[in-house]
Amino acid sequence: METDRPDGRTPNQLRPLAYSCSILHRAHGSASWAQGETKVLAAVYGPKAGTKKNENPEKASIEVIWKPKTGQIGKMEKEYEMILKRTLESICIRTIYPNTTTSVIVQVVHDDGALLPCAINAACAALVDAGIPLKHLAVAICCSVTDSGCIILDPTKDEEERSLQVGSEPMENGIMTSVTQGAMSVNDYLHCLERGRAACASLSEFVRKNIGTKSTSEPSKAG
Amino acid sequence: METKSTSSFTNLVDQSVCPGDVVLDLSKMINQTIKLGGGLRQDCDAISVMKAGRLRFSKPHKYWVENSQKRYVPYAEDSVLGIVVDSRSDNFLVDIKGPTLAFLPVLAFEGGTRRNIPRFEIGTLIYVRVIKANPGMNPELSCTDASGKAAEFGALKDGYMFECTTGQSRMLLSSPTCPVLDALGKKLSFEIAVGLNGRVWVDAASPHTTIVVANAIMNSETLSGAQQRIMVEKLLQRIQ
């Protein structure tokens, strides 16, 4: 059964993507990622000398700072920071720069649904722009299950009710991160994974095509 | 078999690559020695990419990924521009835009002895050579070349220092001379030092000339060779 979506999209259709990198002057790497009205700006500083709290003598440590558009950082933002940190740690090669800390600052410009996948995509693009050694790229997608049991991709804020966010890597199509809200059946979950994996493949092609071209390349005043 | 392995890496050479791309499969190669440069790593039998950029190949068997970034990774035998941030009894601490501060021993100068330690104010700009850059250790610098002569190393006085990406500094140092420096050199007289860590120092008789040269170099990052010459000509016309 087809579900009518308010903006006229089909269930499998993503919102328009916009991506640019090297947009911040001071950051060592930066990227902006927008899906429809949702937009996230990510900046990467480092690797730089680790502080006493974050320093690890064998691996580089990654610090994620989440900046919401309005208000203070709450529990939801702390959870997003933790999820993002774990995801980025799994794709970075951390043994090359021991005793260092890499800071990733994620600024939410606008939130119209599917915020965490947008942040994951922006952070990965910023890491690539900063030249941090990575094992592979990671892309993220958001699926939603409607009341009538239909699965839609890339929901807007109005459509977000029971959502599933999948972060996967294009090489092995593995799942690095999966976050769910609400309740859904096992079959719905597996269908969401299938749809998410297919959408991540097209997202990965988009990222791969754009990653070589830099919009501007300005010198850094940091460090 | 060799033809197949040859064609496999030829497809990716001079192409843009992303982290995770496999550029070589060692299980298909027969007794070949390869040298891996920056941006590549070995994962069991696969050679994969760590940084986004352009894969390069140099005969007979050198591979590297050419990328441009703002952060510098110290390597031995690089010439870099450093800023003195502290002075200790045995070492100067120098910022070379790397993950950690670098050590410049007080004896690493031409004719350096215990009685003849040079004086560097905090903030001095010096042109140094990286002699050790091991992971987990602070890099070690020297103000002499391999034979112990000062050559072109030492403190840089006056002038103007600006920052660019590591890719651009490699372009400025490449041979033959990069078009923007060639075009500027025909009309203006200036002195320039380029560090591989993305710092460039320019000095000229008047600040006016220094600013023109610095702006021309900063604007040339995304331009091709012909575009660089055109940009320099327009810039020089505007100031005359």
Side-chain angles (χ1 to χ4, degrees), chain A residues 24-28 46-49 93 96-100 128-137 171 208 211-212 214-223, chain B residues 16-22 41 48-52 67-74 95-100 135-136 162-165 168 198-199 218 221-222:
Chain A
L24 295 181
H25 193 71
R26 293 182 175 272
H28 298 141
K48 51 188 162 67
I93 302 171
I96 292 184
Y97 301 121
N99 278 318
T100 62
V128 171
D129 188 48
I132 307 292
L134 302 174
K135 293 171 193 163
H136 29 64
L137 296 175
M171 265 194 76
R208 181 172 297 268
I211 217 160
K214 293 193 169 191
S215 52
T216 60
S217 196
E218 295 189 50
S220 168
K221 293 293 185 280
Chain B
S16 288
V17 287
C18 289
D21 289 350
V22 176
R41 71 178 176 119
S48 59
V49 178
M50 293 192 299
K51 298 185 180 185
N67 80 322
S68 185
Q69 65 195 66
K70 295 179 182 177
R71 200 65 169 164
Y72 172 62
V73 182
D95 168 35
I96 58 172
K97 282 176 70 176
T100 55
F162 60 95
E163 308 205 345
C164 58
T165 59
Q168 186 173 11
R199 284 189 174 137
M218 281 191 253
E221 169 102 31
T222 55

Side-chain angles (χ1 to χ4, degrees), chain A residues 46-67:
Chain A
K48 51 188 162 67
T51 59
K52 289 296 176 282
K53 184 181 67 174
N54 282 332
E55 194 165 283
N56 186 321
E58 290 182 359
K59 297 178 175 179
S61 56
I62 295 176
E63 162 190 60
V64 176
I65 298 169
W66 183 283
K67 299 286 189 176

Side-chain angles (χ1 to χ4, degrees), chain B residues 14-232:
Chain B
D14 292 332
Q15 300 290 317
S16 288
V17 287
C18 289
D21 289 350
V22 176
V23 301
L24 278 176
D25 191 349
L26 297 182
S27 62
K28 295 178 180 174
M29 303 179 76
I30 308 173
N31 284 336
Q32 285 195 43
T33 302
I34 58 175
K35 291 186 177 180
L36 297 184
L40 295 172
R41 71 178 176 119
Q42 179 178 353
D43 192 10
C44 299
D45 274 344
I47 304 293
S48 59
V49 178
M50 293 192 299
K51 298 185 180 185
R54 199 169 292 267
L55 182 69
R56 297 295 188 194
F57 171 73
S58 168
K59 289 187 176 181
H61 42 240
K62 292 180 183 174
Y63 296 91
W64 72 97
V65 172
E66 209 172 71
N67 80 322
S68 185
Q69 65 195 66
K70 295 179 182 177
R71 200 65 169 164
Y72 172 62
V73 182
Y75 288 114
E77 297 306 322
D78 279 356
S79 301
V80 296
L81 284 171
I83 296 175
V84 177
V85 297
D86 201 358
S87 179
R88 302 290 170 84
S89 58
D90 280 348
N91 291 303
F92 296 101
L93 293 182
V94 180
D95 168 35
I96 58 172
K97 282 176 70 176
T100 55
L101 296 177
F103 290 152
L104 174 59
V106 295
L107 302 182
F109 297 86
E110 184 183 3
T113 62
R114 277 293 165 191
R115 301 174 182 274
N116 185 27
I117 294 174
R119 297 282 178 202
F120 285 147
E121 301 280 342
I122 288 175
T124 303
L125 184 70
I126 47 179
Y127 196 58
V128 286
R129 182 172 65 100
V130 180
I131 55 179
K132 281 182 198 171
N134 298 318
M137 295 170 57
N138 293 71
E140 193 173 314
L141 310 174
S142 170
C143 260
T144 67
D145 58 12
S147 63
K149 299 298 178 184
E152 70 272 13
F153 300 108
L156 300 171
K157 302 186 191 305
D158 302 323
Y160 172 65
M161 192 274 288
F162 60 95
E163 308 205 345
C164 58
T165 59
T166 57
Q168 186 173 11
S169 42
R170 275 197 307 269
M171 177 192 75
L172 293 171
L173 286 169
S174 66
S175 64
T177 307
C178 94
V180 63
L181 292 183
D182 190 46
L184 286 167
K186 289 193 169 85
K187 300 287 180 56
L188 302 172
S189 177
F190 61 94
E191 212 173 354
I192 187 170
V194 181
L196 277 169
N197 57 343
R199 284 189 174 137
V200 182
W201 172 85
V202 177
D203 194 17
S206 72
H208 180 254
T209 309
T210 304
I211 291 168
V212 168
V213 173
N215 280 337
I217 292 170
M218 281 191 253
N219 289 336
S220 66
E221 169 102 31
T222 55
L223 305 180
S224 68
Q227 287 170 336
Q228 287 174 15
R229 294 181 186 277
I230 294 169
M231 182 265 298
V232 169

Side-chain angles (χ1 to χ4, degrees), chain A residues 93-171:
Chain A
I93 302 171
R94 300 167 63 203
T95 55
I96 292 184
Y97 301 121
N99 278 318
T100 62
T101 297
T102 301
S103 297
V104 181
I105 291 98
V106 176
Q107 170 70 61
V108 178
V109 178
H110 190 64
D111 181 6
D112 189 30
L115 181 62
L116 183 60
C118 219
I120 290 174
N121 294 330
C124 293
L127 286 176
V128 171
D129 188 48
I132 307 292
L134 302 174
K135 293 171 193 163
H136 29 64
L137 296 175
V139 285
I141 194 64
C142 187
C143 304
S144 188
V145 184
T146 61
D147 284 331
S148 54
C150 183
I151 296 168
I152 56 178
L153 282 179
D154 198 18
T156 60
K157 204 158 184 73
D158 296 336
E159 292 168 335
E160 260 185 350
E161 176 197 301
R162 291 179 281 173
S163 65
L164 163 73
Q165 287 134 10
V166 174
S168 72
E169 55 206 76
M171 265 194 76

